[in-house]
Amino acid sequence: MDTDCSGESPVEPKKRKSKTPRKAKDSVLKQKSPAEFFAENKNIAGFDNPGKCLYTTVRELVENSLDSAESISELPIIEVTIEEIGKIKFNSMIGLVDRERIDKELYDDFETAKAREKRLAKEARDQEVQAKSAALGKKVKEPSVQKSMKGRGETSYFRVTCKDNGRGMPHDDIPNMFGRVLSGTKYGLKQTRGKFGLGAKMALIWSKMSTGLPIEISSSMRGQSYTSFCRLDIDIHRNVPHIFLHEKKENTEGWHGAEIQVVIEGNWSTYRSKILHYMRQMAVITPYAQFLFKFVSDAADKNATIQFARRTNVMPPVPCETKHHPSAVDLLLIKRLIVETSKQNLLQFLQHEFVNIGKKYAERLIGEMGQDFSQKMAVKSLTSQQIVRIHQLFRQAKFDDPSGDCLSPAGEYNLRLGIIKELHPDMVATYSGSPQVFEGHPFIVEAGVSMGGKDVKQGLNIFRFANRIPLLFEQGADVVTRTALKRINWNNYKINQTQDKIGVFVSIVSTKIPFKGTGKEYIGDDISEIASAVKYSIQQCCVQLKSKIVKKIQAREQQERKRNLSKYIPNATGAIYDVLKEMARQHSSKRKHYDGEDVEILKKVSARVITEDTLQEKLAQHVEQVDYEMALDYATQSGVSEEPREDFYIQALEGANEFVDFRSPIFVFRLFQ
């Protein structure tokens, strides 16, 4: 019989309770509307934070206004007002009663006794250091302003209003144009300012997320006797407008255009400079527009009014919609074109739905596709395999490059005028390149380089534009920045990259801007065609500036040379006059005999006809003549025969006139009929 030596009864291990695994919930298929997607991913459209939201709202409204005015060839007049709304005023707007805090420690801006003691000790130390510096006669630094801890609940609200004199909107289309995401009039293959096609819709979504207030739109089209007024919201989940009021009012003033008003959360202090820089750069690229910017606040010292006046009435042509280039289409696009086309057979489809495919070339393409294809076959009957064959042939065949007729660059004249108007540089050069192509899309690069100017820092100041809108963010990775910093040898053009005040302006227009990043704030450096065109355009501006800089250096050297020669004129004339007086004395005393012209000169010296002053005057004239002859000789050798030119501007004529514009890189000649 076995026994336990210890005498203790064995202990049985505790049994663990078995956990029954949780049953996984059945996954449910869900869908999101476009409005809901952009509300959750608002950073894609440039609505990253309250400050950026305020900037992007202003930008979207201004660009919509410019497009609207240009579409009817009306010189744009745009008024932008940002009104700061305090918390108390905002609460009264939404009918919320403001109440005092009861539990102060509940808020994240509550300052504990220890934190207050630490802050006061730091302020005392700063005051002591300032007193010692003042006693030693040193420059006293301004005391740093203690940043108040701002709670998440204490936000700033702004009413943004943008008014223009553009086309206006049809009465019945207003709700869908503002309350339905991804619906608009700018879709199609053409040069457009918009990046996503959201426009004011994203501002409305942000308004709904931050304030819950609706947007208000007033609009009237040219010749209409009424003004449409609409107050609406957007149903995020259904992507449909929610209309509060939609009515017609009498238009007694004959106004046409649109006025949009939206209340959003924002941050003016951190994005003030960005908004003002945007307005200034927009005035550079659109000198034919008139902008009035106002900031209104209860604090009088924060109020600001800035007007960017119109400098010219020459507008670029309106960009027109074009057809797709065969090398730039994909399978989905070909299928969509087949569904939407009104043409019956394949031959007509190729001719009329794509650029640079004529009848003979279309026949050759169809013959190359194979026996399954014929010119008269119904285009709607094409199978998926046949569409793939067409796509493959499009990628392999040769096609002429698309022309740039559909593009609307700012124009060298407008670019030069805008730079002069806003920066007041010492000298400026501009260049407009010819249309080029990347991936089947035409593009044009325009560039300007300025020297000196108002509010221009030392070194390179880079201004980037894409489809005539300023790009202010993510500058370091942009093709323009990298080209200006790394691919241009500024010393070759007599320009000091670090010491001179250099403004580099590059505008790129295309039916497809190859933006990079989710925010579409910069153009990538990986497209060789665009990078080469940007470099060449900047170089052409530098070549023009080099000739001006060389002339300026020569003029400075000429002045220095003249100054050096003139410095010795008094001493030289004094010495010569002393010699002449001694010669005249010897001649009159018959110690030495002179004859011929010498006698006449000595007689004039004795009679005080020739004095030291007359000699000095003659010598100064001789220096001036020699210097002029040397400059003329240099100009003859270098082939410089043109006179210096000065910029002048002609006041625009009032009233409607018929005219024809003859454009040149330097001027626009307008012939009135």
Side-chain angles (χ1 to χ4, degrees):
M1 186 175 180
D2 295 334
T3 59
D4 188 1
C5 298
S6 62
E8 296 179 359
S9 60
V11 180
E12 294 182 1
K14 293 182 179 180
K15 294 182 179 180
R16 295 182 179 179
K17 294 182 180 180
S18 60
K19 294 183 178 180
T20 57
R22 293 182 179 179
K23 188 178 180 180
K25 293 183 178 180
D26 294 335
S27 58
V28 180
L29 182 65
K30 297 181 179 180
Q31 291 182 341
K32 289 183 179 179
S33 70
E36 192 174 4
F37 172 81
F38 281 105
E40 294 178 359
N41 302 276
K42 60 183 184 298
N43 60 303
I44 295 178
F47 286 74
D48 303 56
N49 52 67
K52 185 79 176 292
C53 290
L54 181 62
Y55 162 80
T56 307
T57 298
V58 172
R59 192 198 70 191
E60 293 286 0
L61 295 180
V62 169
E63 290 166 12
N64 282 352
S65 296
L66 283 172
D67 286 336
S68 178
E70 291 174 1
S71 66
I72 58 173
S73 301
E74 185 84 19
L75 292 171
I77 301 175
I78 299 172
E79 299 178 10
V80 180
T81 305
I82 301 177
E83 180 187 353
E84 188 175 25
I85 301 174
K87 180 183 175 184
I88 297 175
K89 185 176 179 180
F90 175 76
N91 287 346
S92 66
M93 288 172 58
I94 62 175
L96 181 65
V97 179
D98 197 20
R99 55 177 297 175
E100 295 182 359
R101 296 180 179 183
I102 300 174
D103 188 356
K104 296 183 179 180
E105 294 184 9
L106 184 65
Y107 298 89
D108 63 354
D109 59 351
F110 174 74
E111 187 178 29
T112 62
K114 186 176 180 180
R116 183 174 182 274
E117 183 181 348
K118 187 176 179 181
R119 176 175 59 82
L120 293 175
K122 184 178 183 302
E123 291 177 357
R125 287 195 303 270
D126 292 342
Q127 290 177 359
E128 185 179 351
V129 171
Q130 288 177 8
K132 289 181 179 179
S133 300
L136 296 173
K138 296 181 179 179
K139 187 177 180 180
V140 180
K141 294 183 179 180
E142 292 290 332
S144 58
V145 180
Q146 183 72 22
K147 293 183 179 179
S148 60
M149 293 192 302
K150 190 174 183 179
R152 290 185 296 272
E154 294 189 16
T155 52
S156 298
Y157 301 99
F158 300 89
R159 179 186 286 111
V160 182
T161 307
C162 184
K163 184 177 181 180
D164 62 64
N165 62 334
R167 178 189 294 275
M169 293 165 280
H171 179 80
D172 296 332
D173 292 346
I174 292 177
N176 284 328
M177 293 180 75
F178 286 89
R180 194 184 297 273
V181 174
L182 300 183
S183 65
T185 59
K186 297 182 182 179
Y187 296 112
L189 188 63
K190 64 177 180 179
Q191 173 190 326
T192 58
R193 283 192 172 94
K195 296 179 181 180
F196 294 97
L198 295 177
K201 304 179 189 72
M202 197 63 216
L204 175 56
I205 292 176
W206 173 243
S207 173
K208 185 176 180 65
M209 295 174 67
S210 59
T211 67
L213 292 174
I215 192 172
E216 294 184 354
I217 306 107
S218 297
S219 174
S220 180
M221 302 185 72
R222 184 180 284 175
Q224 278 186 350
S225 60
Y226 63 88
T227 299
S228 302
F229 178 79
C230 187
R231 184 184 295 116
L232 61 87
D233 199 348
I234 184 171
D235 188 329
I236 298 292
H237 303 291
R238 296 169 55 208
N239 190 32
V240 294
H242 177 62
I243 303 171
F244 295 96
L245 179 64
H246 193 193
E247 62 180 1
K248 296 179 180 180
K249 300 179 180 179
E250 187 178 359
N251 185 9
T252 57
E253 299 177 355
W255 168 72
H256 63 86
E259 182 177 5
I260 301 168
Q261 188 177 102
V262 61
V263 179
I264 61 172
E265 178 188 342
N267 191 326
W268 168 254
S269 58
T270 57
Y271 273 78
R272 175 182 181 274
S273 61
K274 287 290 185 184
I275 293 173
L276 295 181
H277 284 163
Y278 170 82
M279 296 300 298
R280 187 187 187 194
Q281 292 190 30
M282 187 60 83
V284 169
I285 202 67
T286 55
Y288 51 88
Q290 177 178 311
F291 297 98
L292 179 63
F293 178 83
K294 295 180 182 179
F295 181 81
V296 181
S297 173
D298 292 335
D301 58 334
K302 294 175 66 175
N303 291 343
T305 300
I306 304 174
Q307 183 170 2
F308 300 90
R310 178 184 296 122
R311 196 57 182 270
T312 177
N313 59 352
V314 178
M315 292 177 60
V318 179
C320 56
E321 190 170 350
T322 185
K323 298 174 184 177
H324 294 275
H325 193 268
S327 63
V329 297
D330 53 34
L331 283 172
L332 286 175
L333 183 55
I334 295 175
K335 291 179 180 179
R336 180 168 69 83
L337 292 175
I338 290 174
V339 172
E340 295 176 354
T341 186
S342 60
K343 304 304 175 184
Q344 300 299 320
N345 58 54
L346 181 59
L347 181 64
Q348 294 175 341
F349 172 72
L350 294 178
Q351 282 183 255
H352 294 91
E353 297 296 336
F354 302 95
V355 295
N356 295 348
I357 297 183
K359 183 177 180 181
K360 291 185 178 180
Y361 205 76
E363 292 173 352
R364 292 177 60 187
L365 288 172
I366 295 172
E368 187 65 23
M369 290 176 188
Q371 297 179 353
D372 297 337
F373 296 85
S374 66
Q375 298 179 15
K376 299 297 183 182
M377 70 181 299
V379 68
K380 305 284 187 182
S381 65
L382 290 172
T383 63
S384 298
Q385 292 80 6
Q386 290 175 323
I387 294 174
V388 171
R389 173 59 184 150
I390 294 174
H391 180 238
Q392 291 176 348
L393 185 59
F394 278 175
R395 298 184 67 178
Q396 297 170 358
K398 294 187 300 182
F399 297 96
D400 293 336
D401 290 336
S403 67
D405 297 341
C406 60
L407 301 179
S408 175
E412 196 173 345
Y413 172 77
N414 280 337
L415 181 60
R416 177 188 294 266
L417 209 59
I419 296 172
I420 294 173
K421 178 172 75 81
E422 293 301 324
L423 270 69
H424 304 284
D426 300 329
M427 58 180 70
V428 61
T430 53
Y431 175 79
S432 181
S434 57
Q436 300 187 49
V437 180
F438 80 97
E439 298 177 0
H441 296 278
F443 71 94
I444 295 176
V445 176
E446 296 176 307
V449 179
S450 65
M451 298 287 293
K454 182 180 69 174
D455 299 332
V456 181
K457 299 177 182 178
Q458 283 187 332
L460 291 175
N461 299 264
I462 298 174
F463 302 85
R464 304 168 294 136
F465 304 92
N467 279 352
R468 308 212 310 262
I469 62 171
L471 302 178
L472 269 63
F473 296 92
E474 301 184 49
Q475 178 172 295
D478 193 90
V479 61
V480 177
T481 305
R482 292 191 173 185
T483 300
L485 290 175
K486 299 179 180 179
R487 303 189 183 112
I488 303 295
N489 190 344
W490 297 94
N491 292 328
N492 290 346
Y493 306 100
K494 309 293 184 183
I495 299 174
N496 191 318
Q497 184 176 346
T498 57
Q499 297 298 322
D500 292 334
K501 296 180 179 180
I502 311 167
V504 179
F505 304 79
V506 176
S507 172
I508 302 174
V509 296
S510 176
T511 53
K512 180 184 178 182
I513 297 291
F515 288 114
K516 297 292 182 181
T518 55
K520 294 190 174 184
E521 293 290 351
Y522 71 97
I523 300 173
D525 194 30
D526 55 345
I527 299 177
S528 59
E529 295 91 343
I530 293 181
S532 300
V534 169
K535 180 181 178 181
Y536 182 77
S537 299
I538 296 176
Q539 285 177 332
Q540 291 302 306
C541 294
C542 291
V543 169
Q544 298 176 42
L545 283 182
K546 182 180 179 180
S547 63
K548 297 180 181 180
I549 293 172
V550 169
K551 290 179 183 178
K552 194 173 181 179
I553 293 173
Q554 290 168 351
R556 188 166 59 245
E557 291 176 349
Q558 179 182 352
Q559 293 293 330
E560 185 69 22
R561 186 170 60 250
K562 190 186 299 184
R563 187 165 53 250
N564 290 336
L565 289 173
S566 300
K567 184 170 61 176
Y568 298 106
I569 288 177
N571 294 334
T573 53
I576 294 171
Y577 189 67
D578 290 342
V579 171
L580 289 175
K581 284 197 300 182
E582 181 61 25
M583 291 172 63
R585 189 179 61 79
Q586 291 178 358
H587 179 71
S588 60
S589 62
K590 298 183 179 180
R591 291 183 182 178
K592 198 167 184 180
H593 181 69
Y594 297 94
D595 54 8
E597 295 180 356
D598 296 341
V599 175
E600 296 296 327
I601 293 175
L602 294 177
K603 285 181 179 179
K604 289 181 180 180
V605 171
S606 300
R608 302 287 295 174
V609 176
I610 295 178
T611 62
E612 187 174 349
D613 292 338
T614 56
L615 287 176
Q616 190 168 338
E617 183 182 349
K618 290 290 184 182
L619 192 54
Q621 292 176 359
H622 179 71
V623 168
E624 186 77 26
Q625 181 65 25
V626 170
D627 194 71
Y628 173 78
E629 290 175 356
M630 290 175 62
L632 188 63
D633 183 57
Y634 170 79
T636 304
Q637 292 177 5
S638 59
V640 180
S641 59
E642 59 182 351
E643 294 295 327
R645 292 175 294 184
E646 296 182 1
D647 298 320
F648 68 96
Y649 305 97
I650 302 174
Q651 183 68 30
L653 298 176
E654 299 296 335
N657 296 284
E658 295 184 359
F659 53 82
V660 178
D661 284 345
F662 298 92
R663 298 173 183 265
S664 157
I666 303 171
F667 67 92
V668 173
F669 178 75
R670 174 162 289 179
L671 177 62
F672 288 90
Q673 298 176 348

